[in-house]
Amino acid sequence: MYDFTACIVTYNTPKNDLKKIIKCFQKIKLNFKLWISDNSEKDDLKSFFKEIDDNRIEYIFNNSNKGFGAGHNVVIDKLINSSEISEFHLIINADIFFEENIVEKIFEYMKRHSEIGQIGPKIRDLEGNFSYTCRLFPKPLNLVFRRFLPFKNIVYKMDYDYEMRWANFEKIMEVPILSGCFIFLRVSALKEIGGFDERYFMYMEDYDLCRRIGQKYKVVYYPEVEIFHEHGKASYKSRKMMMFHVKSAIKYFNKWGWFFDKERKIKNDETRERYFKEN
């Protein structure tokens, strides 16, 4: 049994990105298994991973691109349908970089806190700028309509609350939503709720998964460690990615509710009240 397993979904991912993240994994002192789930049109990475020659890393060619969540579900299904492969599973983007002992610290914290189903670290960009990656459950204004609002002051006020900018990000705290670029999960939680909802091709599948985990476990932001994310907010830089984001947001609200979402109101109110009571 592994201490933890991990999966990276690739789609024409630059080999330099993969080299960086693999070097990070190879410094980890825990017993792990890393799968590379490739959604690319061709299995060009097959020879690349043969050259790496690390039996802890396994390449899977999916021969199709059914989406980010579907690529991860190839591995999640293995975990769910097996009696024991690992206690924890890490879903991670290829453009992530982390120093030594980061995963070890998260692993140890999760071992001590069985009530946590998902945990996420502090995240910075490569210049060291802090990223506000904790979220309340979104309203349509936060994800869909804000794109078309011309009033920056209104957008800023919406983001201030939605991105929990009122919180102290130096403290461990329970939150509704964490970033999908680094998702450290308890496998027993996945066995209860299942994997990603494959109706989302790209974007929002992480929100959906996090929300389902939060119905049964705590979702916790853990700033005792930090990682670096290179290509964050791609949907703000590409019209194509923006359209993927909007389409997925529509699917999210069709599933969970647009303007009438009782769970959203309760969870968001509880998050604010808990924070301001403790601080």
Side-chain angles (χ1 to χ4, degrees):
M1 184 172 179
Y2 300 102
D3 292 324
F4 79 100
T5 50
C7 181
I8 298 171
V9 168
T10 62
Y11 179 76
N12 299 330
T13 303
K15 291 180 181 178
N16 283 338
D17 282 358
L18 290 170
K19 286 178 182 178
K20 288 179 185 177
I21 187 67
I22 287 169
K23 284 181 180 178
C24 292
F25 269 91
Q26 289 176 327
K27 294 176 183 177
I28 295 173
K29 300 177 181 67
L30 299 170
N31 180 27
F32 71 87
K33 173 80 172 183
L34 169 62
W35 281 282
I36 309 297
S37 181
D38 191 0
N39 284 347
S40 306
E41 295 89 351
K42 298 179 181 179
D43 63 346
D44 293 340
L45 291 175
K46 189 173 182 179
S47 58
F48 171 75
F49 284 102
K50 278 187 178 180
E51 291 176 10
I52 290 175
D53 192 25
D54 188 329
N55 59 15
R56 297 171 298 179
I57 302 171
E58 182 177 337
Y59 173 73
I60 301 171
F61 179 61
N62 297 319
N63 202 30
S64 65
N65 183 15
K66 295 179 180 178
F68 178 86
H72 277 292
N73 281 348
V74 171
V75 171
I76 289 173
D77 288 346
K78 295 176 186 286
L79 303 176
I80 291 174
N81 296 320
S82 172
S83 58
E84 49 178 40
I85 294 179
S86 65
E87 186 177 359
F88 303 108
H89 183 61
L90 173 59
I91 294 164
I92 186 169
N93 287 8
D95 59 346
I96 294 295
F97 174 82
F98 54 87
E99 302 286 355
E100 292 185 51
N101 296 319
I102 296 301
V103 176
E104 287 88 336
K105 288 178 181 177
I106 291 175
F107 172 83
E108 290 299 329
Y109 191 79
M110 285 284 276
K111 291 285 282 186
R112 298 196 303 269
H113 295 274
S114 59
E115 75 279 8
I116 299 175
Q118 178 180 339
I119 195 169
K122 182 187 293 184
I123 301 174
R124 298 186 185 276
D125 63 22
L126 292 187
E127 284 72 46
N129 300 308
F130 176 78
S131 299
Y132 289 93
T133 53
C134 299
R135 301 282 191 273
L136 298 177
F137 286 154
K139 298 177 181 178
L141 275 171
N142 298 126
L143 296 182
V144 181
F145 302 131
R146 76 180 298 280
R147 303 271 181 167
F148 311 105
L149 287 174
F151 308 109
K152 291 185 179 181
N153 60 329
I154 295 176
V155 172
Y156 174 80
K157 287 179 180 178
M158 289 193 304
D159 285 350
Y160 184 85
D161 186 52
Y162 167 55
E163 295 179 346
M164 299 176 57
R165 293 185 179 227
W166 35 261
N168 182 353
F169 284 90
E170 297 303 316
K171 287 189 175 183
I172 298 169
M173 57 183 171
E174 185 179 354
V175 299
I177 299 290
L178 288 167
S179 171
C181 71
F182 187 105
I183 305 175
F184 198 88
L185 298 157
R186 195 174 299 278
V187 171
S188 58
L190 288 173
K191 290 185 177 183
E192 286 187 61
I193 68 161
F196 284 108
D197 185 335
E198 296 184 15
R199 284 177 288 185
Y200 306 99
F201 180 78
M202 179 183 290
Y203 298 115
M204 301 308 297
E205 67 285 302
D206 54 336
Y207 280 47
D208 183 275
L209 182 75
C210 194
R211 182 164 180 163
R212 286 184 284 128
I213 288 172
Q215 290 174 336
K216 296 178 180 292
Y217 293 84
K218 287 185 176 181
V219 174
V220 170
Y221 167 71
Y222 184 65
E224 302 296 313
V225 298
E226 63 181 30
I227 63 169
F228 298 89
H229 189 198
E230 185 169 0
H231 302 303
K233 292 193 174 181
S235 67
Y236 286 80
K237 303 168 186 174
S238 160
R239 181 174 175 80
K240 181 181 179 181
M241 292 298 104
M242 183 192 77
M243 293 310 299
F244 277 133
H245 204 164
V246 170
K247 287 178 182 178
S248 289
I250 291 170
K251 291 177 182 178
Y252 173 89
F253 291 120
N254 284 343
K255 178 176 181 176
W256 294 102
W258 284 78
F259 302 101
F260 300 99
D261 181 352
K262 184 178 179 181
E263 184 184 1
R264 174 175 66 203
K265 176 172 173 48
I266 292 172
K267 188 75 170 183
N268 288 353
D269 287 347
E270 285 178 348
T271 301
R272 295 186 193 96
E273 289 170 11
R274 181 174 53 248
Y275 175 76
F276 289 111
K277 185 178 179 180
E278 293 174 355
N279 294 273

